[in-house]
Structures are given as C-alpha cells and as structure tokens.
Amino acid sequence: MTEPYLSATDMHGGYGKADILNGCTLTVDKGQIAVIVGPNGAGKSTAMKAVFGMLNLREGRVTLGGEDITALTPQERVRKGMGFVPQTHNIFPTMTVEENLEMGAFIREDDFRDTMAQVYELFPAVADKRKQNAGELSGGQRQQVAVGRALMTKPSLLMLDEPTAGVSPIVMDELFDRIIEVARTGISILMVEQNARQALEIADIGYVLVQGANRYTDSGQALLADPEVRRTFLGG
Amino acid sequence: MSHTRQAEAHGAWRAPVLFLVLALLFLAEGTFRNALFSGSWNTALGILNMGLISAIMALGVNMQWGYAGLFNAGVVGFLALGGLAPVLVSTPPVQGAWAAGGPRVILALAVGLGTLVLAAQVWKRVPGRPRVLALIAVLVLGFVLYRFLFDPAVAAIEANNSASAGNIGGLGWPVLLSWPVGALMAAAAAWGVGKVALGLRSDYLAIATLGIGEIIVAVMRNEEWLSRGVKNMSGIPRPVPYEVDLQADPGFVARAAEWGLSPGLASGIWVKLLYAGLFTAVLLALILLAELALKSPWGRMMRAIRDNETAAGAMGKNVTRRHLQIFVIGSAVIGLAGAMMVTLDGLLSPNSFNPLRYTFLIWVMVIVGGSGNNWGAVLGAILIWFLWIKAEVWGPELMRLITLPLPEGAFRSHMLGSAPHMRFIALGLVLLLVLRFAPRGLVPEK
Amino acid sequence: MDILNALVAILNFVVIPAASYGAQLALGALGVTLIYGILRFSNFAHGDTMAFGTALVILVTWGLQAIGIDLGPVPTALLALPIGIALCSVFVLGTDRTVYRFYRRKRSDPIILVMASVGVMFIMNGLTRLVIGVDEIRFDDGARFLVSVQQFRAWTGLSEGLSLRVSQAITLAVTALACWALFRFLSRSRAGKAMRAYSDNEDLALLSGIDPERVVRLTWIIATALAVTAGTLYGLDKSFKAFNYFQILLPIFAAAIVGGLGNPLGAVAGGFIVAFSEVAVTYPWKKIANYLGFQPEGLLQLLSTEYKFAVSFVILIVVLLFRPTGLFRGKSV
Ligand SMILES: Nc1ncnc2c1ncn2[C@@H]1O[C@H](COP(=O)(O)OP(=O)(O)O)[C@@H](O)[C@H]1O
Ligand SMILES: [Mg+2]
C-alpha cells in the first residue's frame, strides 16, 4: 500500500503545559474526504492546528506527499499546497469579498484571475457580492468566502474546521455539495464537523476523536453503521 | 511569567540591602562635599522629604497599576487637585471675598453638578425619541443657568483686592486637616473618570486620565478666584514651626550651640526633620493599610482579577466595580501626596505641574521599584527622585568629561548647555531597560 | 442684519482656522489609528514623534537656507519635509526594532506596549530638547498671506476682513494630497491591502503568507510620515514649541477614538469634528451676533481658549459613554 497523501501520526502536544493531543493520528488519501467528529473540547480544532503547524508538537510527525513537514511554519505549509479554513475569524471582515480572495492568493506571483473565476463559479452567491465587505454577509456566505479564500492558493489539501457552524440546514447541504465538488477535482479534504451524521455520509474516512486521541477510525459508512458509535456519538 | 527564578535567586535580602544602599547615598549627600555630593544636610533632607512624598504618590500609582493593572496617565491632575486642598482649607479667609460672591459660586457649582446628575437621570429614565431632546434641553438650560450664576460671582471675587488676593480664600483650619480633604477631592474626580473609562479597553483609561489631568491643571491655572491661578498661592500655613521663630527662640539656639550648629543651619535641619517624621508616619501608615488590604479577601480577589481578568469575570466577579474601587483609592492617595507636597512647599504654583515630572516620572519610580510591591514602590520613588535631582548636577559634570577632548566652540557649549535635557533621555532609557530586562523591578512582588 | 459680513466673519474666525487645525489633527490621528490597527496599542510617543520630526525638519530647513536654497513664496520647510520624514522614520524603525518588537513577539498586553511608548516618548522628548531646545521657534519663511484682510476688504468692500495664510492653504492642500495618496494606497496597492488584512485579522493574514514584520515596518513609516507632516504643518501654522506637541496628543487621541480606533476614514472625520468643536466652543460669537442684529451682553464665548482641551475631553467622554467603538466603528472595545 502506498503512503497516504497527508499523514499526521501520533501527535502529542498542547497550548501550555498540559497536552491536549494524546496520540492523535490522521491520514487522508489523494482526492478523499476525511472527517473528524467528536464531542466539544475533544481537541478537534487543536488537531487541525497541529497538522497545519500552528502548534508545537511534542511528539509526532506530519508528512505531505511523502515529504516530512513537521518543522515547517504554517506559511511554508501553504506554499507546499495546504489550505486552512479556521473555525472562527476566517475572513477579513472589513475587506470586500474580492479582496479576501486576493489576500488568499497573496503568496502567488502568477496571474490568479482564473482561480478567482473558478471560486466564483463554485460559489455563485458570493460572486454577486464581490464588491461588498465580507463582514456584512450572511453566515453561510461568509463560510463560502472563507473556503474560497483558502482555495485561492490552489491547494492540494484543504482543511476545514467546522465549515457549517451556524448556518441553516439548507445552506449546510449546499456547502457539503460544494465540498464534494472540490474533492472531485482531486483536492484532498480534511474537515471537522459538528453535524457528524451528514459529514460521515460523504466521508471516505472518519475519525472519532475523544480527549485528544482516536477512539474510532473507519470508513464513513462503517462508522455510521457501528452501533457503538451511533449510540455514543450520533445520538442513537 | 518566567521571571520567578530571578526573584528566588536574590531572596529576602534584596529589599533591605537596597534600602541600605539608599541610606548610604543620603549619608554621602549629607557628609561629603565634592563633584558628586553637596555635603549639606539641608540639601540631603530636602531631597529626602520630596522623596517621601514621591513615595506616597508611587504608592497610589502602584495600587492602580500593581494591584489592578490600570494605567493612570493623569497623575499630575489628581496631584494638583489634592494640592488645592491646603489652599481652600487652611489659608486664612480673604476679607470680603465670601460676601462678594461665595454663596453664588457654590450655588453655580451645585447647579452645574445638578445638571450633570439630572442629565444622567434623564438618559436613564426617559424612554424613546424624546430622550435625546430632553437631554440636550437639560444640558443647555443647565449650562446657561450655571454661567448666569457663575460669571458675575467670579468677576466679583476676582475684583476683590485683586493685587494681593482676588481669590475666594480658605477656611483658616489646620493644614493637616487639608490632607484628607485633598485625598477626597482627588477621589471624587477619579470616581467620575473611572465611571466612564473603566470597563472599556485598557488604553482608554490611559487616554481619559491623560485628558482629565490636563484639564485639572488648566482649571487651576485659569480659575483665579479659586487659588489665584498662575499668580500662585503662597504663605500656606505649616504644620511645623517656622525657621525664623526657632532662631528667635533662645532655648532652641542654646540647644543648637550644644550640637555645634549655627542657629540658621540648625533651624533648617530641624524643620526638615520634623517634616520627614511627619511624612514617614503617613507613609508607614499607608503601607500598613495597603498591606493589610492586600492580605484580606478583597486584596486577593484584586490580584486574582489582575492576573486573569477573563477568568475572574467568568467567575462572576464584577471586575469593573473592583477596578473603580482601586482606581478611586489610588487616586485618593495621590491627592493626599499633592496636599502634602503643597504644604511642604508652602506654595501652590499651577505652572509647575508638568506631566513629565509628575505623571511619567512617578510611573518610572513604580516600574523601577517593582510594580505590585509597596516597599518596591517606596524604594523606587526615593531612589529615582534622588537620581533625578542629582542628575541636574551629574549631567553637566558628565558632559564636561565627555566633551573634554572637543575643541572649545559653539558645538561644545551647545552640548554643555543641553546637558539638563539628558535627564529625559536617561529616564526613558531606565524605564525601557527595566520594563524589558527586569519587568518585576528592583523589589519584585512576592 | 448684515448676513454677508457675518458669513465672512464666521469663515475667517471659525471655518478657516478650524479647517486647517482639523487637517493637522486628522494627519496626527491617522498615524495613531494606523498604529493602533496594526500594532494594537495607543502610541503615547506620537506627539513627541511629531515634535522630533518637526525639529529635524527645522534643522534641515535652516541648513537649506544657509546654502541659499528656498522655495520663494512657499516655506522652505516643505522641501525639508521629505528629508525630515526619512530621518525620523529611521529613528522610529530603530525604536520598533529595539523596543516594540520584543513585546510584539511575546504578545504582551497592549498596556505594556503603551508603557513602552511612554519610555520612547521620554527619549524623543529629550532628543528634541537636545537638538533644538525648548524655546518657541518660527520657521515659516516665504509669503505670509494668500489673501490678506486689506486685500479682501478692497476687493469686496465689506467691512469684515478675511485672510487666508499661506500656511493654512498649504495645510489644507498637503492634507488633501496625503489623504488621497494614503487611501489610494490602502485600497489599491498590494502592500496597502496587506496592511488592512493584517489589521482586520492578524492570524488569517499570517496564514495567507503576509509578512507581519513588513507590515509593521510599513505602518511605522507611514505613521511617521503623517506625524512629521502634521507636526511641520502645525509648526508652520502656529509655531514650534516642543511642549505643545505633547499637549496636542489629547485632541489627536480624541479624534482617533471618535472616528473609531483603527479606522482611517474615521480618524480624518474625527480630526475635523474635534477641531470644529474646539474652535466653535472657544470662539466669542458676539461679533457675529452683532452683525445679525443682536446685542448680547457677554462675549458669547462658551469656554475660554485655555480650556480648549476640555472640548476634546468632553467629546472623548461622550463617545466612550455612548459609542465606545467610535462613530465609524473601529476595533472592538
Ligand atoms: N488557544 C488555546 N489556549 C489554551 N487552551 C486552548 C486553546 N484553544 C483550545 N484550548 C483547549 O483545548 C481543548 C480542546 O479544544 P478544541 O481543540 O478547540 O476542541 P474542539 O474543537 O474539539 O471543540 C479545550 O479544553 C480547550 O479549552
Ligand atoms: Mg473546535
């Protein structure tokens, strides 16, 4: 078996003295969707930050496309093809939608108008508001801007931390559809989701994280079918 | 923070040793006469007395900053306000001033204050649209009425014997009584500012206090009816004897002769010693109270809030109210120091209230001494004050040494002439260096 | 009733002085607000940056005059201004490197940075005294008036005169130019957008690959350029006195807060709001009332000029009470 595209193995670390992550392992294959679910405070966001290099890992290793990136800064990881949409504060509120996308492409030296057009194509709702300040948009549209911003570097791995937080069910379905669409273009996706059921539906691989460690790891369908997982994490 | 190691390494001996060094400095100032020291006990005690008053100011600032992390950038204003108290409380009444317009001024001030209170009530009580209109109406009417009452009364008071008085005059009460009054006046002003600016971002308090400081000083400069403004108010009564009276007292002269001192020198030193005793008593009492307060549940909560405001707030502590309390108390202490300073000088001179000297210098004292530690603040205050005064002498000396190799000429004389300004640069450097390399100061908080 | 004369008087004594003072405050407040937006603290050294930079400009002006260079009717100081800005920027960047960067990296409390800026303020204050002294200095060579009172009276035949000093006209022109350039820079250029992005959301800016140190350096340079320009214009308009620049800190802070800290457009508006209030409240309106046919007893002066700082303070308090994020919504409280 070939090595997965992203592989973060046995991560230990936290913000201060106490570890939040206690041996968490996440992998995503090329073009696949990996979903992390788990109770509040389990360390899902922390795991995402660790994968993205925003946290000093005490132990563990992160590789991307076979290359060890454990020591790289977040900015360097962006250049290696990672895109990250944080859970909160993921847009520039007093800048227009278009400027948000431009900032997403800040490190690109080449012409990024094509990418921008693709993002607008993917999210037609925000395309209409490109001259409007991102902070004035609805919750769902803001999330679209946030995802669009991360796509501007043409990442090969897109990391989303609760992209559907605080949006209506209709918008949520719409967002999931878009995410699947993104994955179809060959981009690997690692995402954290509160709406575990729907997320696992579309997941190629799912992780149930509890207290900073993997409790269950399996394909999305298998997790959905597991009575134990259903009872404890999916509410029956 | 990561500075605990530094504190442990030096241990409990640190403060006593530093105070000893300080004492030696004063001893040197009093005994040796050379390029560095004056060799005059009069000078040494003079520096010490102002140092003690600075220590009280520093205590006040330390309460606000050290206990609560509040940045008061208007120390000079609270100090000046406190300094007004000896004038109003203890100077003799001015003949005819009260009759000329006293009651009317009081009434005007009451109207002014009442307007603000009424405006606040209107804002709280009146609902909906008419609110703003009612507020504006109250403020405009109040202002017109205030000016109508205030202006003629002030003109009358200032016209009364304007060459030597022109002010409302004092009550003629003992000057020591004016010290707590000064504290109260500063506390009242602090309550007003704190009510508005606390609970917002931390820098807003700094900016608001910077403003109130400038305004209080402007009021004292311009309201001649109050304390003669820039004409200065001299002859403020003393709590200790006058030198001339001592020199005329045969008993004192005889005792001075026993010590081998001339009456002039002895009287000067004796008066300064009395002041020093008085100030030390106040300082020690304040430190005692402050330490007791710090060890009480109230003090522990105060520090808990400072160390983690969010957590304390989450635990249901009313952070803003605590901050207001400590801000008012600290300002009262500063006001007390202001009253003491004016008493010591026997003079209220509003033009001398310079923010660099009376706000930011005090800040340097607190930071250098060790914010959060009362003894540290006292040490920092007396030490920095000593250095500040001596820098006036040492600066030019140093400059002479530095410029020795330079040829005589315009540049050298410019450098020599500007030596006094080096004090500011030195002070800024000290502040920055301490803040960076010893943020807990000379005597760190326990 | 003599409406024409009344209007001219208002223009001459209120509108023109307040506009040029407002422009100076606006430039100062822009610097404060930019530093606040990017570095997230209120820079107490800003007034002394203005003073120090202006002192440098004066020195360069004297140097230029000594070698016989001047700009004819326009003050030589304008020629010296870019040099003064460059010198002052070097100094300010030095303070960032040696003082502020340390606390930025440590992510210290904003109030610690404020305190550090007080230290820098002392040093700049001392340096200003060292290089130029504490006396009042006038350095406005060139023509004094664009329109003088006599000229205006002769042209219009009105009894009320109107004057427009060269320094006032230059203040307005330079401010307009500086604001135009700044807003264009912020809204169009890549670096300007990076600054706004950093101010909006520091962490996301980092994730987007924006170099924070570059943004910070750029901010210091722009703020310094604005400060030195404001200081020079203020000095040309009134006179140079180091202590005045410490005092102007309060109206500048008031302007920045009124406009919403971190909001450049707000800072400009705030500058004019503060200036117009200050002048309107301290101007004796008796003359204008007379023209309008009233015969008031008093001077109709709401507040004597000594209390002009009280106006900034009251505006500040009112804004803090009712709208702590400022009229134009700045950064959070
Ligand atoms: N910036 C931070 N500093 C310190 N502790 C944090 C920080 N962010 C999160 N934590 C702590 O880490 C734990 C995991 O948080 P998080 O990863 O956000 O959980 P999740 O995203 O699964 O809800 C929680 O106990 C939280 O309090
Ligand atoms: Mg989370």
Side-chain angles (χ1 to χ4, degrees), chain B residues 147 201 203 222-223 436, chain C residues 36 42 98 302 306-307 333:
Chain B
R147 287 293 292 265
R201 275 192 55 95
D203 347 20
N222 296 300
E223 298 301 310
R436 165 96 177 243
Chain C
Y36 186 90
S42 309
T98 51
L302 291 175
E306 284 84 9
Y307 292 137
V333 241

Side-chain angles (χ1 to χ4, degrees), chain A residues 142-185:
Chain A
R142 280 195 219 194
Q143 292 294 10
Q144 296 181 9
V145 174
V147 175
R149 187 205 62 82
L151 287 172
M152 286 302 292
T153 47
K154 290 208 271 185
S156 49
L157 170 73
L158 182 62
M159 300 171 54
L160 307 166
D161 194 347
E162 300 201 18
T164 63
V167 306
S168 69
I170 303 170
V171 178
M172 191 171 78
D173 289 344
E174 163 90 21
L175 266 170
F176 277 143
D177 287 346
R178 296 285 163 265
I179 291 166
I180 296 171
E181 217 170 297
V182 171
R184 284 217 188 97
T185 63

Side-chain angles (χ1 to χ4, degrees), chain A residues 44-45 87 161-162 192:
Chain A
K44 303 184 297 293
S45 297
Q87 182 174 355
D161 194 347
E162 300 201 18
V192 173

Side-chain angles (χ1 to χ4, degrees), chain B residues 71 123 143 147 201 203-204 208 211-212 215 219 222-223 355 360 363 414 418 421 424 427 431-432 435-436, chain C residues 36 42 98 102-103 110-111 114-116 118 122 129-130 246 261 301-302 306-307 310 313 320 322 324 333:
Chain B
F71 190 159
W123 188 255
F143 184 75
R147 287 293 292 265
R201 275 192 55 95
D203 347 20
Y204 282 6
I212 193 78
I215 288 171
V219 167
N222 296 300
E223 298 301 310
F360 297 111
W363 268 98
H414 174 81
S418 49
H421 307 314
F424 292 89
L427 207 65
L431 178 61
L432 290 176
L435 207 56
R436 165 96 177 243
Chain C
Y36 186 90
S42 309
T98 51
F102 172 76
Y103 301 103
I111 204 72
V114 173
M115 188 78 70
V118 168
F122 263 105
R129 289 157 177 263
L130 204 63
F246 173 77
L261 272 174
Q301 186 184 17
L302 291 175
E306 284 84 9
Y307 292 137
F313 182 72
L320 289 190
F322 298 112
V333 241

Side-chain angles (χ1 to χ4, degrees), chain C residues 63-320:
Chain C
L64 289 174
Q65 285 167 342
I67 56 173
I69 297 176
D70 69 58
L71 287 179
V74 179
T76 315
L78 283 193
L79 201 61
L81 184 59
I83 307 171
I85 289 174
L87 293 174
C88 195
S89 299
V90 169
F91 182 85
V92 169
L93 287 175
T95 64
D96 182 70
R97 192 64 183 272
T98 51
V99 180
Y100 300 115
R101 191 170 70 173
F102 172 76
Y103 301 103
R104 186 162 63 243
R105 297 241 163 115
K106 251 178 59 177
R107 295 203 169 214
S108 295
D109 246 13
I111 204 72
I112 300 291
L113 282 152
V114 173
M115 188 78 70
S117 79
V118 168
V120 173
M121 173 184 92
F122 263 105
I123 291 178
M124 292 190 109
N125 188 290
L127 283 177
T128 309
R129 289 157 177 263
L130 204 63
V131 297
I132 212 152
V134 287
D135 301 326
E136 193 159 337
I137 297 169
R138 296 215 61 107
F139 59 104
D140 56 336
D141 55 358
R144 262 185 80 62
F145 289 102
L146 215 58
V147 180
S148 77
V149 171
Q150 290 83 359
Q151 280 173 333
F152 183 82
R153 286 214 187 102
W155 287 339
T156 57
L158 289 171
S159 62
E160 192 59 44
L162 183 137
S163 74
L164 181 63
R165 277 184 281 130
V166 171
S167 61
Q168 291 168 326
I170 287 178
T171 295
L172 292 172
V174 170
T175 305
L177 197 71
C179 288
W180 175 80
L182 178 68
F183 286 109
R184 219 184 138 77
F185 169 78
L186 287 178
S187 63
R188 300 281 176 85
S189 75
R190 198 171 119 93
K193 284 180 194 170
M195 269 177 73
R196 280 168 54 216
Y198 187 89
S199 157
D200 247 15
N201 188 339
E202 188 178 333
D203 292 327
L204 198 60
L206 293 178
L207 292 188
S208 306
I210 293 169
D211 177 3
E213 290 302 316
R214 265 198 68 186
V215 168
V216 166
R217 275 200 300 275
L218 198 57
T219 307
W220 279 119
I221 292 174
I222 294 175
T224 306
L226 292 166
V228 178
T229 308
T232 303
L233 294 174
Y234 184 79
L236 283 174
D237 200 12
K238 313 220 158 76
S239 69
F240 176 83
K241 194 157 185 285
F243 189 66
N244 289 348
Y245 288 86
F246 173 77
Q247 290 203 312
I248 205 180
L249 198 56
L250 181 63
I252 284 179
F253 275 142
I257 291 180
V258 166
L261 272 174
N263 181 334
L265 208 58
V268 175
F272 286 102
I273 290 173
V274 168
F276 271 87
S277 319
E278 210 173 87
V279 174
V281 168
T282 53
Y283 176 69
W285 290 87
K286 181 188 172 98
K287 185 180 213 165
I288 286 149
N290 284 344
Y291 279 127
L292 295 178
F294 300 103
Q295 298 298 326
E297 251 178 66
L299 286 172
L300 290 187
Q301 186 184 17
L302 291 175
L303 215 58
S304 81
T305 37
E306 284 84 9
Y307 292 137
K308 60 179 184 207
F309 292 115
V311 180
S312 329
F313 182 72
V314 169
I315 294 177
L316 183 73
I317 292 294
V318 169
V319 170
L320 289 190

Side-chain angles (χ1 to χ4, degrees), chain B residues 49-131:
Chain B
N49 280 338
M50 197 51 215
L52 288 169
I53 290 179
S54 303
I56 294 179
M57 299 177 200
L59 272 184
V61 171
N62 184 38
M63 287 174 187
Q64 297 173 340
W65 171 251
Y67 299 2
L70 304 176
F71 190 159
N72 177 354
V75 175
V76 64
F78 298 104
L79 194 78
L81 204 55
L84 191 58
V87 175
L88 293 182
V89 170
S90 68
T91 55
V94 169
Q95 194 81 42
W98 183 253
R104 193 166 172 158
V105 162
I106 301 282
L107 186 64
L109 293 179
V111 165
L113 205 62
T115 304
L116 291 182
V117 174
L118 192 65
Q121 288 302 318
V122 163
W123 188 255
K124 249 190 242 160
R125 301 274 159 84
V126 179
R129 274 281 179 81
R131 198 193 211 187

